[in-house]
Amino acid sequence: MSLSKHINPDHLVQTSQDKKLAHHHHLTGTNPNTIAHPYGGRYGTAPIAKYKLPSKGTDADAAYQLIHDELALDGSPTLNLASFVHTWMPEQADKLMAENQNKNLIDQDEYPMTQIIHNKCISILADLWHAPNSHQAIGTATTGSSEAIQLGGLAMKRIWQAKRKAAGKSIHEPGPNIVMGANAQVALEKFARYFEVECRLVPVSVESKYRMDPKRAMEFVDENTIGVFVIMGSTYTGHYEPVKEMSDLLDEYEAKTGHSVPIHVDGASGGFIAPFATPKLLWDFKIPRVVSINTSGHKFGLAYVGVGWVVWRDKAHLPKDLIFELHYLGSVEYSFSLNFSRPAAPIIAQYFNFLHLGFEGYRAVALQDLKNARTLSRALEKSGFYTVLSDIHRPIPGLITDAKQVVGGFDEENIENYEPGLPVVSFRFSDEFQAKYPEIQQKWIQLLLRARGWIVPNYELAPDLQQVQILRVVVRESFTEVLVDRLVSDIVEVTEDLMKQDSPSHALNALAAHHHNNNTKKHEGQLEEGSGSKSSGTYAKQC
């Protein structure tokens, strides 16, 4: 039998199943569009349709067990270090969400208290971000930061169009543009493409700390620029972009040209880190040129997935033609979101966090996340195998003049002593490691960690630095000190395993070595080897 390079797994399974005496498929003996399952015997259910709606339903217990078992193949949310999305809430929050999962936020007349909670969240965020008057600020919940960014950008586009029309100028030739760093998350580029705005990407570099350089950004600004997207927390490395510096340069530009260019801050992650960890940092509505801010409640807002927020500093920056008046739900209601229907439960979960944690609780979580991120960063660099690109573990320049001399004493637990940023650790092989082991591919680290349960992505940096690959860990609340310790151990072990190999099959050899070591090495808390009686030869061996 010849070996095929391309095998269809579905066909392989179908042709290997038992064949019935009658009514079978003319080739495979089975129906390829159904799935037979062992719970059929327990619950008395027939095989279920695989790719179409079944003609008859399945018992609820059987349906639950089938789906439950399929989802067992998913990774562990706790060990998913690739995602910014929060994965745990207290039992009381789970209960609140279950109680309110059938509520539609848009139906304000039917669920007035839910809408009041929504408005309270807007006021809380406006106050947290220092809006001139939190009662005058306006905002809305969104599905996430992607929708929030669309709304913020769309408002800037409409205001630019109104100014152009008032000046008797065309809004089509050459058309609007928006400026952002090449490190922008895809949602920012989506806005430009979906709403027909020229996307001007500012190249990033090592010197600019892998983020947008405001001085370089000014080369892309002109009278057709509707605004600048400034990112409070790059998804690549966690660096904050300097909002104040960008604003100052735009002030100078306006003084020279008369063209006012607003700023929208993408605070998808930083909007819930900066106010608590580094409250002295200038980035929000304290800066007059910042007209809108978005954030993700389901990231460092510590709510479950499904809630984002966008807030404008006042009503003047949200054009009226983007607000729809609705009359058919029992009362006069107003909507200015891309979605209409929206689950209320995630908004209620967000409000639960505001009441439960308060400022001190959010600060404590943010500081602990950053502390764990610093520990991981230092450990990786001290190994000699890795270089960390993130800077949250590095003291602010000037605090330490050299490795041994400390100016005025250095408190390692004082967050104000470090470069501000997200609790994100981006790292790569060190130059020394790459020079000594050029045949080892960094993507193998991702593969080997995945075999141990960790999800740590390996991917290219933003355009102009795409030749650099990084591994990235997002340190969330659930990533505790114990898990930091375990991850460091696993990273060091898989790296050393690769260093010991000398063939092209490094990754597979290391996987085999890991499996062998786990079955033979001594673990803490277990008896010493030889402490038990000898095996009698049966399967049930003594301890």
Side-chain angles (χ1 to χ4, degrees), residues 9 27 45 61 86 90 92 101 150-151 198 218 276 319 360 394 405 429 470 514 541:
L27 289 179
T45 55
D61 289 331
H86 194 66
Q92 294 86 346
Q101 63 184 349
Q150 315 299 311
L151 293 171
E198 179 192 352
M218 292 306 301
F276 303 110
E360 291 184 359
R394 295 191 172 94
Q405 182 180 1
F429 282 151
I470 61 169
H514 166 62
K541 298 179 181 179

PDB file of all heavy atoms in Angstrom, residues 9 27 45 61 86 90 92 101 150-151 198 218 276 319 360 394 405 429 470 514 541:
ATOM      1  N   PRO A   9      -9.402  13.161   7.088  1.00  0.00           N
ATOM      2  CA  PRO A   9      -9.710  12.472   8.339  1.00  0.00           C
ATOM      3  C   PRO A   9     -11.171  12.026   8.432  1.00  0.00           C
ATOM      4  O   PRO A   9     -11.473  10.949   8.953  1.00  0.00           O
ATOM      5  CB  PRO A   9      -9.399  13.504   9.432  1.00  0.00           C
ATOM      6  CG  PRO A   9      -8.665  14.599   8.777  1.00  0.00           C
ATOM      7  CD  PRO A   9      -8.912  14.523   7.323  1.00  0.00           C
ATOM      8  N   LEU A  27     -20.889   3.613  -0.177  1.00  0.00           N
ATOM      9  CA  LEU A  27     -19.432   3.495  -0.139  1.00  0.00           C
ATOM     10  C   LEU A  27     -18.901   3.201   1.264  1.00  0.00           C
ATOM     11  O   LEU A  27     -18.052   2.332   1.449  1.00  0.00           O
ATOM     12  CB  LEU A  27     -18.786   4.788  -0.658  1.00  0.00           C
ATOM     13  CG  LEU A  27     -18.926   5.048  -2.172  1.00  0.00           C
ATOM     14  CD1 LEU A  27     -18.259   6.377  -2.522  1.00  0.00           C
ATOM     15  CD2 LEU A  27     -18.286   3.927  -2.985  1.00  0.00           C
ATOM     16  N   THR A  45     -31.229   8.243  22.711  1.00  0.00           N
ATOM     17  CA  THR A  45     -31.289   9.176  21.592  1.00  0.00           C
ATOM     18  C   THR A  45     -30.631   8.566  20.354  1.00  0.00           C
ATOM     19  O   THR A  45     -29.711   7.757  20.453  1.00  0.00           O
ATOM     20  CB  THR A  45     -30.566  10.493  21.940  1.00  0.00           C
ATOM     21  OG1 THR A  45     -29.226  10.189  22.340  1.00  0.00           O
ATOM     22  CG2 THR A  45     -31.289  11.215  23.067  1.00  0.00           C
ATOM     23  N   ASP A  61     -30.204  16.560  28.601  1.00  0.00           N
ATOM     24  CA  ASP A  61     -29.034  16.023  29.300  1.00  0.00           C
ATOM     25  C   ASP A  61     -27.999  15.499  28.313  1.00  0.00           C
ATOM     26  O   ASP A  61     -26.793  15.708  28.483  1.00  0.00           O
ATOM     27  CB  ASP A  61     -29.454  14.895  30.250  1.00  0.00           C
ATOM     28  CG  ASP A  61     -30.218  15.411  31.461  1.00  0.00           C
ATOM     29  OD1 ASP A  61     -29.967  16.572  31.855  1.00  0.00           O
ATOM     30  OD2 ASP A  61     -31.051  14.673  32.002  1.00  0.00           O
ATOM     31  N   HIS A  86     -10.284  38.859  30.256  1.00  0.00           N
ATOM     32  CA  HIS A  86     -10.399  38.359  31.626  1.00  0.00           C
ATOM     33  C   HIS A  86     -11.200  37.054  31.631  1.00  0.00           C
ATOM     34  O   HIS A  86     -12.161  36.900  30.879  1.00  0.00           O
ATOM     35  CB  HIS A  86     -11.098  39.414  32.483  1.00  0.00           C
ATOM     36  CG  HIS A  86     -10.991  39.181  33.954  1.00  0.00           C
ATOM     37  ND1 HIS A  86      -9.797  39.248  34.638  1.00  0.00           N
ATOM     38  CD2 HIS A  86     -11.921  38.872  34.887  1.00  0.00           C
ATOM     39  CE1 HIS A  86     -10.004  39.010  35.919  1.00  0.00           C
ATOM     40  NE2 HIS A  86     -11.282  38.768  36.100  1.00  0.00           N
ATOM     41  N   PRO A  90     -15.861  36.563  40.616  1.00  0.00           N
ATOM     42  CA  PRO A  90     -16.379  35.917  41.821  1.00  0.00           C
ATOM     43  C   PRO A  90     -17.738  35.258  41.579  1.00  0.00           C
ATOM     44  O   PRO A  90     -18.458  35.604  40.637  1.00  0.00           O
ATOM     45  CB  PRO A  90     -16.500  37.075  42.827  1.00  0.00           C
ATOM     46  CG  PRO A  90     -15.574  38.121  42.329  1.00  0.00           C
ATOM     47  CD  PRO A  90     -15.578  37.995  40.831  1.00  0.00           C
ATOM     48  N   GLN A  92     -20.484  35.591  43.065  1.00  0.00           N
ATOM     49  CA  GLN A  92     -21.626  36.512  43.105  1.00  0.00           C
ATOM     50  C   GLN A  92     -21.850  37.178  41.754  1.00  0.00           C
ATOM     51  O   GLN A  92     -22.995  37.439  41.352  1.00  0.00           O
ATOM     52  CB  GLN A  92     -21.412  37.581  44.180  1.00  0.00           C
ATOM     53  CG  GLN A  92     -21.390  37.029  45.597  1.00  0.00           C
ATOM     54  CD  GLN A  92     -20.006  36.541  46.017  1.00  0.00           C
ATOM     55  OE1 GLN A  92     -19.120  36.378  45.174  1.00  0.00           O
ATOM     56  NE2 GLN A  92     -19.818  36.327  47.316  1.00  0.00           N
ATOM     57  N   GLN A 101     -29.189  37.271  32.227  1.00  0.00           N
ATOM     58  CA  GLN A 101     -28.742  36.946  30.884  1.00  0.00           C
ATOM     59  C   GLN A 101     -29.847  37.078  29.830  1.00  0.00           C
ATOM     60  O   GLN A 101     -29.575  37.090  28.633  1.00  0.00           O
ATOM     61  CB  GLN A 101     -28.162  35.531  30.854  1.00  0.00           C
ATOM     62  CG  GLN A 101     -29.147  34.429  31.196  1.00  0.00           C
ATOM     63  CD  GLN A 101     -28.486  33.069  31.250  1.00  0.00           C
ATOM     64  OE1 GLN A 101     -27.330  32.923  30.838  1.00  0.00           O
ATOM     65  NE2 GLN A 101     -29.178  32.075  31.762  1.00  0.00           N
ATOM     66  N   GLN A 150     -14.663  52.184  16.403  1.00  0.00           N
ATOM     67  CA  GLN A 150     -15.413  52.601  15.217  1.00  0.00           C
ATOM     68  C   GLN A 150     -16.224  53.861  15.519  1.00  0.00           C
ATOM     69  O   GLN A 150     -16.268  54.799  14.716  1.00  0.00           O
ATOM     70  CB  GLN A 150     -16.374  51.494  14.751  1.00  0.00           C
ATOM     71  CG  GLN A 150     -15.828  50.086  14.697  1.00  0.00           C
ATOM     72  CD  GLN A 150     -14.672  49.908  13.743  1.00  0.00           C
ATOM     73  OE1 GLN A 150     -14.734  50.322  12.593  1.00  0.00           O
ATOM     74  NE2 GLN A 150     -13.610  49.292  14.215  1.00  0.00           N
ATOM     75  N   LEU A 151     -16.866  53.877  16.689  1.00  0.00           N
ATOM     76  CA  LEU A 151     -17.709  55.021  17.053  1.00  0.00           C
ATOM     77  C   LEU A 151     -16.871  56.276  17.293  1.00  0.00           C
ATOM     78  O   LEU A 151     -17.237  57.375  16.861  1.00  0.00           O
ATOM     79  CB  LEU A 151     -18.528  54.687  18.297  1.00  0.00           C
ATOM     80  CG  LEU A 151     -19.590  53.591  18.125  1.00  0.00           C
ATOM     81  CD1 LEU A 151     -20.178  53.195  19.477  1.00  0.00           C
ATOM     82  CD2 LEU A 151     -20.691  54.044  17.177  1.00  0.00           C
ATOM     83  N   GLU A 198      -8.539  57.211   4.762  1.00  0.00           N
ATOM     84  CA  GLU A 198      -7.164  56.791   4.463  1.00  0.00           C
ATOM     85  C   GLU A 198      -6.421  56.510   5.763  1.00  0.00           C
ATOM     86  O   GLU A 198      -6.393  57.341   6.670  1.00  0.00           O
ATOM     87  CB  GLU A 198      -6.438  57.883   3.676  1.00  0.00           C
ATOM     88  CG  GLU A 198      -4.987  57.519   3.351  1.00  0.00           C
ATOM     89  CD  GLU A 198      -4.179  58.698   2.837  1.00  0.00           C
ATOM     90  OE1 GLU A 198      -4.776  59.766   2.577  1.00  0.00           O
ATOM     91  OE2 GLU A 198      -2.942  58.561   2.724  1.00  0.00           O
ATOM     92  N   MET A 218       3.847  63.466  13.136  1.00  0.00           N
ATOM     93  CA  MET A 218       3.508  64.786  12.602  1.00  0.00           C
ATOM     94  C   MET A 218       3.805  64.888  11.109  1.00  0.00           C
ATOM     95  O   MET A 218       3.221  65.736  10.417  1.00  0.00           O
ATOM     96  CB  MET A 218       4.262  65.877  13.368  1.00  0.00           C
ATOM     97  CG  MET A 218       3.809  66.047  14.811  1.00  0.00           C
ATOM     98  SD  MET A 218       2.025  66.328  14.992  1.00  0.00           S
ATOM     99  CE  MET A 218       1.802  67.810  14.018  1.00  0.00           C
ATOM    100  N   PHE A 276      -5.222  53.585  37.785  1.00  0.00           N
ATOM    101  CA  PHE A 276      -5.022  52.976  39.098  1.00  0.00           C
ATOM    102  C   PHE A 276      -3.546  52.795  39.439  1.00  0.00           C
ATOM    103  O   PHE A 276      -3.136  53.072  40.570  1.00  0.00           O
ATOM    104  CB  PHE A 276      -5.742  51.629  39.146  1.00  0.00           C
ATOM    105  CG  PHE A 276      -7.210  51.724  38.840  1.00  0.00           C
ATOM    106  CD1 PHE A 276      -7.716  51.213  37.656  1.00  0.00           C
ATOM    107  CD2 PHE A 276      -8.070  52.346  39.716  1.00  0.00           C
ATOM    108  CE1 PHE A 276      -9.067  51.311  37.366  1.00  0.00           C
ATOM    109  CE2 PHE A 276      -9.428  52.450  39.436  1.00  0.00           C
ATOM    110  CZ  PHE A 276      -9.929  51.932  38.253  1.00  0.00           C
ATOM    111  N   PRO A 319     -21.485  64.091  17.205  1.00  0.00           N
ATOM    112  CA  PRO A 319     -22.469  64.730  16.321  1.00  0.00           C
ATOM    113  C   PRO A 319     -23.871  64.158  16.496  1.00  0.00           C
ATOM    114  O   PRO A 319     -24.046  62.944  16.651  1.00  0.00           O
ATOM    115  CB  PRO A 319     -21.917  64.441  14.920  1.00  0.00           C
ATOM    116  CG  PRO A 319     -20.456  64.242  15.127  1.00  0.00           C
ATOM    117  CD  PRO A 319     -20.332  63.573  16.464  1.00  0.00           C
ATOM    118  N   GLU A 360      -9.413  51.318  45.310  1.00  0.00           N
ATOM    119  CA  GLU A 360      -8.325  50.596  45.982  1.00  0.00           C
ATOM    120  C   GLU A 360      -8.220  49.154  45.486  1.00  0.00           C
ATOM    121  O   GLU A 360      -7.114  48.624  45.342  1.00  0.00           O
ATOM    122  CB  GLU A 360      -8.540  50.625  47.498  1.00  0.00           C
ATOM    123  CG  GLU A 360      -8.357  52.001  48.118  1.00  0.00           C
ATOM    124  CD  GLU A 360      -8.477  51.987  49.632  1.00  0.00           C
ATOM    125  OE1 GLU A 360      -8.721  50.883  50.184  1.00  0.00           O
ATOM    126  OE2 GLU A 360      -8.342  53.054  50.249  1.00  0.00           O
ATOM    127  N   ARG A 394      11.808  48.115  34.049  1.00  0.00           N
ATOM    128  CA  ARG A 394      12.989  48.981  33.973  1.00  0.00           C
ATOM    129  C   ARG A 394      12.727  50.304  34.706  1.00  0.00           C
ATOM    130  O   ARG A 394      11.693  50.946  34.486  1.00  0.00           O
ATOM    131  CB  ARG A 394      13.374  49.250  32.522  1.00  0.00           C
ATOM    132  CG  ARG A 394      13.818  47.983  31.805  1.00  0.00           C
ATOM    133  CD  ARG A 394      14.456  48.259  30.456  1.00  0.00           C
ATOM    134  NE  ARG A 394      15.021  47.023  29.921  1.00  0.00           N
ATOM    135  CZ  ARG A 394      14.395  46.196  29.096  1.00  0.00           C
ATOM    136  NH1 ARG A 394      13.166  46.490  28.679  1.00  0.00           N
ATOM    137  NH2 ARG A 394      14.973  45.093  28.681  1.00  0.00           N
ATOM    138  N   GLN A 405      25.133  51.776  41.727  1.00  0.00           N
ATOM    139  CA  GLN A 405      24.930  53.031  42.441  1.00  0.00           C
ATOM    140  C   GLN A 405      23.459  53.425  42.379  1.00  0.00           C
ATOM    141  O   GLN A 405      22.874  53.549  41.314  1.00  0.00           O
ATOM    142  CB  GLN A 405      25.782  54.133  41.810  1.00  0.00           C
ATOM    143  CG  GLN A 405      25.657  55.476  42.539  1.00  0.00           C
ATOM    144  CD  GLN A 405      26.520  56.531  41.893  1.00  0.00           C
ATOM    145  OE1 GLN A 405      27.190  56.256  40.907  1.00  0.00           O
ATOM    146  NE2 GLN A 405      26.501  57.743  42.435  1.00  0.00           N
ATOM    147  N   PHE A 429      14.619  35.408  21.853  1.00  0.00           N
ATOM    148  CA  PHE A 429      15.948  34.865  22.125  1.00  0.00           C
ATOM    149  C   PHE A 429      16.956  36.005  22.194  1.00  0.00           C
ATOM    150  O   PHE A 429      16.907  36.937  21.379  1.00  0.00           O
ATOM    151  CB  PHE A 429      16.376  33.904  21.018  1.00  0.00           C
ATOM    152  CG  PHE A 429      15.741  32.536  21.104  1.00  0.00           C
ATOM    153  CD1 PHE A 429      15.521  31.791  19.948  1.00  0.00           C
ATOM    154  CD2 PHE A 429      15.392  31.978  22.321  1.00  0.00           C
ATOM    155  CE1 PHE A 429      14.952  30.525  20.010  1.00  0.00           C
ATOM    156  CE2 PHE A 429      14.822  30.723  22.404  1.00  0.00           C
ATOM    157  CZ  PHE A 429      14.601  29.986  21.243  1.00  0.00           C
ATOM    158  N   ILE A 470       8.593  37.671  18.460  1.00  0.00           N
ATOM    159  CA  ILE A 470       8.537  37.764  19.919  1.00  0.00           C
ATOM    160  C   ILE A 470       7.587  36.710  20.473  1.00  0.00           C
ATOM    161  O   ILE A 470       6.663  36.256  19.800  1.00  0.00           O
ATOM    162  CB  ILE A 470       8.071  39.158  20.398  1.00  0.00           C
ATOM    163  CG1 ILE A 470       6.653  39.467  19.867  1.00  0.00           C
ATOM    164  CG2 ILE A 470       9.063  40.221  20.022  1.00  0.00           C
ATOM    165  CD1 ILE A 470       6.029  40.700  20.499  1.00  0.00           C
ATOM    166  N   HIS A 514      10.704  15.502  27.733  1.00  0.00           N
ATOM    167  CA  HIS A 514       9.835  16.042  28.782  1.00  0.00           C
ATOM    168  C   HIS A 514       8.922  14.956  29.339  1.00  0.00           C
ATOM    169  O   HIS A 514       8.747  14.832  30.543  1.00  0.00           O
ATOM    170  CB  HIS A 514       9.007  17.201  28.221  1.00  0.00           C
ATOM    171  CG  HIS A 514       7.860  17.598  29.096  1.00  0.00           C
ATOM    172  ND1 HIS A 514       8.037  18.085  30.374  1.00  0.00           N
ATOM    173  CD2 HIS A 514       6.519  17.577  28.880  1.00  0.00           C
ATOM    174  CE1 HIS A 514       6.858  18.344  30.913  1.00  0.00           C
ATOM    175  NE2 HIS A 514       5.927  18.046  30.028  1.00  0.00           N
ATOM    176  N   LYS A 541       0.451  -1.712  40.945  1.00  0.00           N
ATOM    177  CA  LYS A 541       1.716  -1.728  41.668  1.00  0.00           C
ATOM    178  C   LYS A 541       1.593  -0.974  42.990  1.00  0.00           C
ATOM    179  O   LYS A 541       0.876   0.002  43.099  1.00  0.00           O
ATOM    180  CB  LYS A 541       2.801  -1.094  40.805  1.00  0.00           C
ATOM    181  CG  LYS A 541       3.057  -1.848  39.504  1.00  0.00           C
ATOM    182  CD  LYS A 541       4.118  -1.142  38.693  1.00  0.00           C
ATOM    183  CE  LYS A 541       4.351  -1.879  37.366  1.00  0.00           C
ATOM    184  NZ  LYS A 541       5.352  -1.221  36.538  1.00  0.00           N
TER     185      LYS A 541
END
